[in-house]
């Protein structure tokens, strides 16, 4: 029977135990109790989430908390938190969100490398296949929008994933605008393999690592929230448009549970920047005016698409939740207490109805809060998904009279034309006759 | 139906609840100490009041303002004699109406979220059978919810007004149909055609526990009777008398993982939040649901 | 078979479920988050105790927390806490410690009533048994020491017990000095029945309710501790001897975990008054000088016991733990962290080695602390228990020459006496002879 | 031996640990999430490294500075092939020495607390057998610890120097002897004289589960062989081949309660902290010890 396969399962279990046992090492108590810890008190937060019916179990959470510490020790990270868990078909992802210590950020070059599959068309063009000699398309796609660098926009933080706590953490690539744009149009199950291709229409630019990263970016942007007023913008930084950092407001006085529970959700604010339709947080003109070319030509050619592009805008960072769009006629967020029998010791939990599985809790009058996502990585939708239709064929030439083929005349037009011609002929004959007459006269 | 079973599977007793919760925690189903305390107390009262042989926790359906906890009480016949109850606070339980095929079809059209208020009404308008067609025999409590209207072009429109508890009943029944799953050998067909729990079941092996063909839908078989006779004779009638998950349509309805090498987890892709678990080489298995109560109609695009 | 008995067990389970279901009622959130709650956050404290391997399980703890609230609502109580759990042979006791709201204390008379069995000898004396006519003992026992009233000494707080959360809470009688004195000399299992007699030598003055209360008093006095410096004496109260109240020290700055963990236990202080050998916290002269009697008489009679009684003394309230006597050559207390893998988020737990099962935790630099006892109610002892020997028979008369029987003479004394007598006789004869001689002369 | 058993009793797997912990929590045995995580991981490694059929958590012995967690690994023969291990951190495990009767008697004289440092030494001086008497056959590792001295009056004094892990081994063995208990019917004697777990055991009834005569010591029987033959013939040799708790000396060595009507708890009065549990009508039973590791010699005075 399946004795050998059973043995394999047991061996796998033992191997995982071996791997995980490295997590359980003693730590020295910091001399200074107040010392900033890179990893928050995951267990305490998880207990409050558990009170809200949210979590992955105390034992797994404990292992995750140790794995986060391991990550913080292995890389030059300033802070690491448990972002959440994404279910996959064959493996699941544990996701950690981290920030590098100042001055120890990875070089941008390093980040660009792991995405060689971004433009698969190019490799095809250079290959030796027999179609290589067919006439090549003159179509030049717009250059992809530049990826926001680590530290700003959708890549303000960096994300690491592993399948089981104790296994190696794998850094995800930076989120790419094109990937986010396509991710919004597709709905795919994750497989659990970061290098798996994402087969979809429209074609997804990248593999599962990019898709995971894009979904994390979308979920983070929409569902990361904090009690309103806890953070504020640095007064010295007065560029209103592009503020994507904030500081703790020292004057925050705490919010009562009633305020945090208010169904208007005015007690909570968005903690992450909104992602624009173009897939970036900071808007960038996809085709900046090229000043060295002839302006008239351009006016003609780019009229429909790029001329005088209206910058995309979205709600600013720290906007209150009450402006969020309803989801299918239901509020975007639901707020509750974690206990109805002991409300005075309960935490406030706020759950996203747009991304089911995303939750936030607030403790200690909102001075402590946390966000988590546990789910399949899919947005809620009341209507069945239907893939987008292929775009309309591109116009090859601008529509102008000189190159427009004339419509074939209809029978009526022909008759009218023939009649008109006949009449004209008759008129000419008549005139001739008249001329003759004149001559006669 | 069911969930959170154990050595005497499908009974939620002191021991099985914790063990089962342990198995499904990694899938995002956790209960607070408060909820566990309340459930243990109130389900004992429910069992006693309704004279059930056993009670079990089915799961919860997440609403926008409140969640519905669902439990089931089982009478002498664990295959046919099952009643479903819901509770908003894990303390007081109300029985759900009995599912009816007509309403099941109607409810499948509702895609909005559950609110958590059982009195919330949904109105569904759908084309009905032509006036000339025979009307199926509809019990009065169902007929009462439906009103037919003949349009100018002689087509019939049926308008159904449903309270949320009615819709909840249909969702629970629909999920049970697809997600209530038992491992091969856990139940047997007795010579007098009763489905009984097998006393000698000692669990699937580690490898087998991760294979969906070793799990069966705990419902009246639908696929099996339509299989070619040549295939059917190969099956052991005492053990393989139910529909196997391998015959599910669509075919890739499940994700199966042997998590940590110690517990087999089958996650439904059709009903996200439906989880089946089995600890290999033990009598522990069960299933639980925690989700929005709506079906995933997009599976074809998602794989 | 035992079908009917099984049915009874099931019915009992259902009945308990019915009783307990009354606990689970919703509570309104207090408008003022800061409002003083009569019951502390039992669940959070229990979670920290659980981290230390101490507790009765989360579900039972949750039911207890609701039962405490029920108690606080049923009686005019200012505060209620979960004191602990005492195991019994047939039932266990859940113990709640409470303080009445000011002005709503029970009348002292109420408290005296439930102890009618205190002096069983008296009822015997008055009974009609045939030995009633035998000569009665002239021995008058000293009057029992007065019981400290609610609010002071061992009865500073009041205790309630129940067997299962949800069942009715039963108030325990005030702790009696005589009961405490005898409880120290005996070692008995609790039965779980408050009205059960306590069969012991020396005879215990009371039933199990008094024994439970005496053990609670002893355990509380020895093992209730708080971080040193968190509380202080009110400066206005300057009677050094009898201070048994304290106030929170507003200048307390918190103690680091290292300080709270220090093996000297200097970071912790006794939070309850020491019980003197006489069974009270405030010393009382058991036989105050009776001025109206003849002083000389008294001097003679009471010489050995009561004259010039040295007041018993003990360490004052808030004494540091470091002065506690070692237990069998081991320190009286053991301090540890609740986690060695995440010490920075761990609590400090201190366990009594004198009363195994008694523990204290400190959180938030010692600003939050809690005590608990879970056990059989027995003090640790390295040597096997041996019951005290009966006291030496009482002296009926003071030892004075006039009533002392002379010792029988030994043979040597007799011989010496006889010889002395003989000599004397001989001397007498000699003298006679001499007299005769004299007469002759 | 043993503890924390389950449907396949006496295996500590994902499910049985939680269920068992639930049952013994009311007796004051709780583990933190950290300890549970560590135990689950490290005991799997221990099982794998030592090729045990199963591993189980035995309990803990509380020391003044550290606690000893005790686990046991079981080989093919669950009755005879059991090894004990201790750990201070729930991660690394060290095997305990094999118990020896001579040292058992010596350790019974030590009444001081365990410290939690396995290297702590205790020195016990006790009268030995007269010089003329035959010396029992003592293995070298035990003999090494003992030194005999003939006094002036020809009596012999034996001085034994024991490290704490040695003492721990004897305490675990002594507690196992008295507290490792199984319900009637959970194990059976096969025709070829092997003790095997019964596959048909479905638990005691609620009433029976609270009666100590329905529990047996899982050890080589000591009382049974000395019973009158007339009594012995009345016993079922396949089920009642072990010493019943009813025959324990002293007679009142146990407190039995059916807690909450749902779990039978037997607390040892001889070894305070020894807890046996059984959930009626299920295969779940086990025992666990959490205490100081010292025997209660005062039972006669305490009842």
């Amino acid at each position: 029977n399946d004795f050998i396969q059973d043995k394999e399962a047991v061996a796998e279990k033992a191997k995982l135990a071996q791997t995980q046992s490295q997590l359980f090492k003693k730590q020295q108590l910091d001399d200074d109790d107040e010392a900033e810890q890179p990893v928050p008190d995951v267990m305490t937060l998880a207990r409050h989430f558990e009170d809200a019916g949210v979590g992955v179990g105390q034992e797994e959470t404990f292992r995750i908390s140790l794995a986060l510490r391991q990550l913080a020790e292995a890389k030059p990270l300033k802070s690491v938190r448990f972002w959440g868990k994404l279910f996959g078909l064959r493996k699941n992802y544990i996701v950690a969100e981290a920030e590098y210590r100042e001055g120890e950020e990875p070089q941008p070059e390093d980040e660009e490398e792991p995405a060689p599959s971004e433009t698969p068309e190019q490799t095809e063009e250079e290959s030796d296949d027999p179609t290589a000699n067919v006439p090549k398309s003159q179509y030049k796609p717009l250059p992809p929008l530049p990826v926001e660098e680590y530290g700003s926009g959708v890549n303000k933080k960096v994300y690491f994933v592993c399948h089981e706590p104790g296994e190696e953490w794998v850094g995800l690539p930076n989120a790419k605008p094109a990937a986010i744009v396509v991710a919004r149009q597709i709905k795919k199950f994750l497989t659990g393999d970061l290098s798996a291709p994402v087969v979809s229409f429209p074609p997804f630019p990248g593999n599962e690592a990019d898709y995971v990263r894009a979904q994390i970016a979308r979920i983070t942007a929409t569902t990361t929230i904090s009690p309103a007023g806890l953070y504020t913008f640095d007064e010295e930084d007065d560029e209103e448009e592009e503020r994507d950092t904030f500081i703790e407001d020292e004057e925050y006085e705490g919010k009562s549970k009633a305020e945090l529970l208010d169904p208007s959700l005015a007690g909570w604010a968005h903690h992450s920047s909104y992602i624009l339709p173009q897939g970036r947080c900071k808007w960038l003109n996809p085709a900046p005016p090229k000043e060295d070319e002839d302006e008239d030509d351009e006016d003609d050619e780019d009229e429909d698409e790029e001329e005088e592009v209206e910058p995309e805008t979205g709600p600013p960072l720290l906007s209150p939740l009450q402006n969020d769009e309803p989801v299918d006629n239901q509020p975007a967020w639901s707020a509750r207490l974690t206990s109805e029998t002991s409300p005075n010791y309960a935490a406030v939990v706020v759950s996203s109805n747009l991304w089911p599985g995303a939750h936030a809790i607030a403790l200690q009058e909102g001075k402590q809060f946390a966000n988590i996502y546990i789910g399949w990585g899919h947005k809620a939708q009341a209507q069945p998904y239907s893939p987008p239709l292929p775009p309309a064929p591109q116009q090859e030439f601008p529509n102008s009279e000189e190159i427009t083929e004339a419509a074939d005349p209809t029978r009526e037009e022909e008759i009218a034309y023939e009649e008109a011609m006949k009449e004209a002929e008759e008129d000419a004959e008549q005139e001739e006759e008249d001329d003759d007459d004149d001559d006669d006269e | 139906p069911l969930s959170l079973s154990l050595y005497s599977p499908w009974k939620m007793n002191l021991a099985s609840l914790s063990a089962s919760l342990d198995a499904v925690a990694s899938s995002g189903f956790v209960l607070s100490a408060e909820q566990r305390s309340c459930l243990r107390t109130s389900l004992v009262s429910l069992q006693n009041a309704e004279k059930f042989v056993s009670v079990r926790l089915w799961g919860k359906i997440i609403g926008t303002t409140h969640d519905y906890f669902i439990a089931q009480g089982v009478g002498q016949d664990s295959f046919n004699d099952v009643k479903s109850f819901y509770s908003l606070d894990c303390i007081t339980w109300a029985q759900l109406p009995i599912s009816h095929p007509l309403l099941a079809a109607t409810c499948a059209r509702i895609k909005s979220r559950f609110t958590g208020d059982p009195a919330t009404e949904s109105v569904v308008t759908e084309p009905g059978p032509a006036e000339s067609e025979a009307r199926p025999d509809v019990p009065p409590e169902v007929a009462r919810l439906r009103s037919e209207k003949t349009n100018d072009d002689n087509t019939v429109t049926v308008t159904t007004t449903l309270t949320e508890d009615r819709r909840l009943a249909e969702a629970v029944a629909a999920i049970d149909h697809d997600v209530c799953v038992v491992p091969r050998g856990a139940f047997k067909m007795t010579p007098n055609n009763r489905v009984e729990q097998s006393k000698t079941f000692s669990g699937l092996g580690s490898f087998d526990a991760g294979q969906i063909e070793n799990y069966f839908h705990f419902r009246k078989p639908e696929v099996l009777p339509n299989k070619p006779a040549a295939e059917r004779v190969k099956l052991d009638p005492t053990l393989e008398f139910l529909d196997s998950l391998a015959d599910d349509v669509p075919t890739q309805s499940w994700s199966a993982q042997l998590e940590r090498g110690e517990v087999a987890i089958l996650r439904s892709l059709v009903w996200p939040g439906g989880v089946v678990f089995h600890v290999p080489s033990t009598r522990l298995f069960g299933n639980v649901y925690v989700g929005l109560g709506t079906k995933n109609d997009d599976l074809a695009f998602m794989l």
Side-chain angles (χ1 to χ4, degrees), chain A, chain B:
Chain A
N1 54 19
D2 305 302
F3 184 68
I4 293 167
Q5 286 155 317
D6 282 357
K7 280 245 166 181
E8 277 169 18
V10 169
E12 198 183 317
K13 182 176 169 183
K15 195 179 143 210
L16 180 62
Q18 199 57 41
T19 309
Q20 292 191 335
S21 63
Q22 292 162 18
L23 290 175
F24 302 115
K25 55 178 186 189
K26 287 187 198 179
Q27 208 188 15
Q28 285 303 306
L29 182 63
D30 281 352
D31 291 338
D32 179 5
D33 279 6
E34 300 278 297
E36 191 82 10
Q37 298 294 326
V39 182
D41 188 356
V42 178
M43 290 305 291
T44 298
L45 296 171
R47 281 163 168 173
H48 289 284
F49 275 122
E50 187 179 284
D51 284 346
V54 173
V56 292
Q58 288 187 14
E59 288 175 40
E60 182 166 329
T61 306
F62 177 71
R63 291 194 198 95
I64 290 170
S65 77
L66 295 184
L68 293 177
R69 197 179 71 199
Q70 195 188 43
L71 175 63
E73 285 167 3
K75 316 243 169 183
L77 300 176
K78 185 173 72 183
S79 69
V80 185
R81 77 173 181 99
F82 178 39
W83 182 88
K85 181 172 180 174
L86 290 163
F87 299 120
L89 295 178
R90 283 178 288 281
K91 296 266 191 182
N92 308 320
Y93 293 109
I94 307 284
V95 183
E97 181 182 83
E99 283 181 283
Y100 288 103
R101 282 198 292 266
E102 261 177 80
E104 303 191 57
E105 298 89 352
Q107 295 307 306
E109 294 82 8
D110 298 350
E111 281 297 316
E112 290 300 315
E113 275 175 320
S117 59
E118 206 180 340
T119 48
E121 302 91 343
Q122 291 176 339
T123 39
E124 270 175 45
E125 278 184 329
E126 289 157 16
S127 67
D128 287 337
D129 73 312
T131 61
N133 290 326
V134 302
K136 284 178 187 171
S137 164
Q138 296 294 318
Y139 170 69
K140 290 263 183 249
L142 280 170
L145 276 172
V147 176
E148 287 173 293
E149 277 179 23
Y150 167 75
S152 78
V154 292
N155 293 314
K156 191 168 174 203
K157 299 190 179 170
V158 63
Y159 296 85
F160 297 86
V161 297
C162 64
H163 299 305
E164 288 282 352
E167 294 183 354
E168 205 192 346
W169 288 100
V170 178
L172 292 179
N174 275 345
K176 297 172 191 66
I180 290 173
V181 168
V182 177
R184 283 177 175 142
Q185 302 172 59
I186 63 176
K187 185 178 177 189
K188 296 288 288 181
F189 278 117
L190 302 176
T191 66
D193 176 6
L194 285 178
S195 62
V198 178
V199 181
S200 67
F201 182 82
F204 184 80
N207 53 16
E208 184 159 307
D210 294 295
Y211 183 53
V212 170
R213 183 63 189 84
Q215 294 300 84
I216 290 174
R218 296 174 63 203
I219 295 169
T220 304
T222 312
T223 69
T224 316
I225 58 176
S226 56
L230 180 57
Y231 291 91
T232 186
F233 294 110
D234 200 341
E235 290 299 322
E236 294 167 25
D237 177 10
D238 56 4
E239 299 171 74
E240 265 215 25
E241 290 292 316
E242 303 213 354
R243 294 199 289 201
D244 71 344
T245 56
F246 40 71
I247 53 169
E248 254 183 83
D249 189 342
E250 284 171 16
E251 287 166 27
Y252 179 69
E253 285 180 353
K255 285 195 147 33
S256 72
K257 281 176 192 158
E259 287 176 277
L260 292 165
L261 276 173
D262 192 280
S264 77
L265 270 306
W268 291 81
H270 281 285
H271 199 68
S272 281
S273 298
Y274 180 83
I275 306 180
L276 301 170
Q278 65 170 199
R280 291 172 50 101
C281 293
K282 286 185 192 170
W283 188 76
L284 205 76
N285 191 334
K290 298 156 211 150
E291 279 138 27
D292 52 334
E293 285 185 30
D294 182 28
E295 288 200 0
D296 292 294
D297 266 20
E298 232 184 49
D299 270 7
D300 283 350
E301 280 184 10
D302 297 346
E303 209 167 28
D304 310 272
E305 283 174 50
E306 288 138 30
E307 196 212 4
E308 283 169 31
V309 188
E310 183 75 22
E312 295 166 351
T313 56
L317 197 55
L318 299 185
S319 317
L321 264 55
Q322 75 227 73
N323 300 333
D324 285 11
E325 293 278 321
V327 181
D328 182 37
N329 299 321
Q330 299 274 0
W333 298 90
S334 299
R336 348 183 166 182
L337 281 172
T338 55
S339 166
E340 290 195 281
T341 58
S342 310
N344 295 308
Y345 298 122
V348 174
V349 60
V350 174
S351 308
S352 170
N353 292 329
L354 187 59
W355 288 97
H359 307 270
I361 45 164
L363 310 170
Q364 295 168 16
E365 305 186 303
K367 281 165 195 155
Q368 214 187 339
F369 73 100
N371 288 271
I372 202 168
Y373 178 82
I374 297 167
W376 289 94
H378 296 141
K379 203 166 172 170
Q381 50 183 26
Q383 296 313 314
Y385 170 78
S386 57
L389 292 174
Q394 199 178 20
Q395 291 175 332
E396 285 180 68
F397 295 92
N399 199 8
S400 70
E401 232 175 278
E402 59 200 39
I403 57 158
T404 304
E405 196 177 350
D408 278 343
T410 61
R411 181 72 192 130
E412 285 74 28
E413 284 171 326
E414 280 182 347
I415 293 171
Y417 179 76
E418 276 168 21
E419 271 171 20
M421 289 302 282
K422 211 166 157 185
E423 230 167 78
E425 239 168 68
E426 276 169 24
D427 283 356
E429 271 172 34
Q430 198 74 43
E431 268 173 40
E432 239 169 62
E433 270 176 38
D434 288 352
D435 280 353
D436 287 349
D437 286 353
D438 284 348
D439 284 342
D440 288 344
E441 276 169 315
Chain B
L2 111 117
S3 274
L4 303 187
S5 47
L6 205 56
Y7 8 77
S8 9
W10 303 50
K11 282 190 190 172
M12 196 206 72
N13 55 29
L14 177 117
S16 62
L17 180 62
S18 311
S20 303
L21 284 176
D22 244 33
V24 297
S26 73
S27 302
F29 185 81
V30 295
L31 295 177
S32 68
E34 171 169 340
Q35 288 163 344
R36 277 178 277 136
S37 288
C38 293
L39 286 172
R40 278 225 230 272
T41 298
S42 67
L43 290 183
V44 167
S45 294
L46 179 67
Q47 177 177 8
N48 194 57
E50 303 268 340
K51 307 280 177 248
F52 288 127
V53 172
S54 65
V55 283
R56 55 202 188 206
L57 182 65
W58 183 92
K60 70 174 178 183
I61 288 185
I62 298 166
T64 50
T65 56
H66 290 98
D67 299 340
Y68 292 105
F69 284 83
I70 313 286
Q72 292 182 327
V74 185
Q76 289 299 333
D77 179 350
S78 61
F79 198 60
N80 296 307
D81 184 5
V82 177
K83 288 178 184 161
S84 298
F85 295 79
Y86 74 91
S87 173
L88 293 166
D89 55 6
C90 298
I91 297 159
T92 51
W93 294 89
Q95 194 174 343
L96 283 172
I98 310 295
S99 165
H100 188 275
L102 264 184
L103 296 180
T106 303
C107 286
R109 292 170 173 264
I110 312 177
K111 293 292 171 190
S112 64
R113 284 283 301 271
F114 283 88
T115 63
D117 175 0
T120 308
E121 287 194 348
S122 306
V123 178
V124 181
T125 304
E126 57 193 324
E131 247 185 304
S132 52
E133 277 180 55
R135 291 289 176 278
D137 209 18
V138 174
E141 72 270 18
V142 173
R144 197 164 39 78
L145 309 175
R146 294 159 53 91
S147 69
E148 288 192 13
K149 197 186 109 198
T150 307
N151 300 323
D152 297 341
D153 56 353
N154 266 336
T155 58
V156 176
T157 304
V158 181
T159 304
T160 315
T161 306
L162 294 150
T163 50
E164 198 164 277
D165 57 347
R166 186 78 242 188
R167 198 188 145 201
L168 191 65
E170 297 302 338
V172 169
I175 294 170
D176 254 3
H177 178 272
D178 291 346
V179 174
C180 180
V181 162
V182 298
R184 178 197 304 270
F187 284 80
K188 63 180 181 193
M189 178 71 87
T190 63
N192 53 354
N193 276 332
R194 268 178 69 100
V195 177
E196 273 182 12
Q197 190 188 310
S198 162
K199 284 194 178 164
T200 54
F201 176 64
S202 57
L204 299 174
S206 292
F207 178 79
D208 283 344
Q211 309 299 314
I212 60 164
E213 64 262 30
N214 293 317
Y215 293 86
F216 295 96
H217 287 288
F218 198 71
R219 67 182 184 210
K220 217 164 163 293
E222 298 169 358
V223 182
L224 204 62
N226 302 324
K227 280 203 167 185
E231 264 188 56
R232 265 188 293 164
V233 292
K234 289 188 206 150
L235 302 173
D236 178 345
T238 60
L239 290 178
E240 294 167 307
F241 55 93
L242 297 167
D243 289 339
S244 165
L245 262 58
D247 296 329
D248 273 8
V249 178
T251 47
Q252 283 182 290
S253 302
W254 294 92
S255 140
Q257 297 186 23
L258 186 63
E259 292 196 351
R260 299 174 51 71
E262 62 180 4
V263 56
I265 298 283
L266 276 60
R267 293 193 182 88
S268 171
L269 305 181
V270 176
W271 293 99
V275 180
V276 177
F277 67 92
H278 174 44
V279 181
S281 307
T282 76
R283 293 164 68 87
L284 183 67
F285 63 88
N287 62 289
V288 77
Y289 177 83
V290 50
L292 307 183
T294 46
K295 195 170 181 169
N296 176 16
D297 297 317
D298 307 328
L299 188 57
F301 300 107
M302 294 172 71
L303 291 165

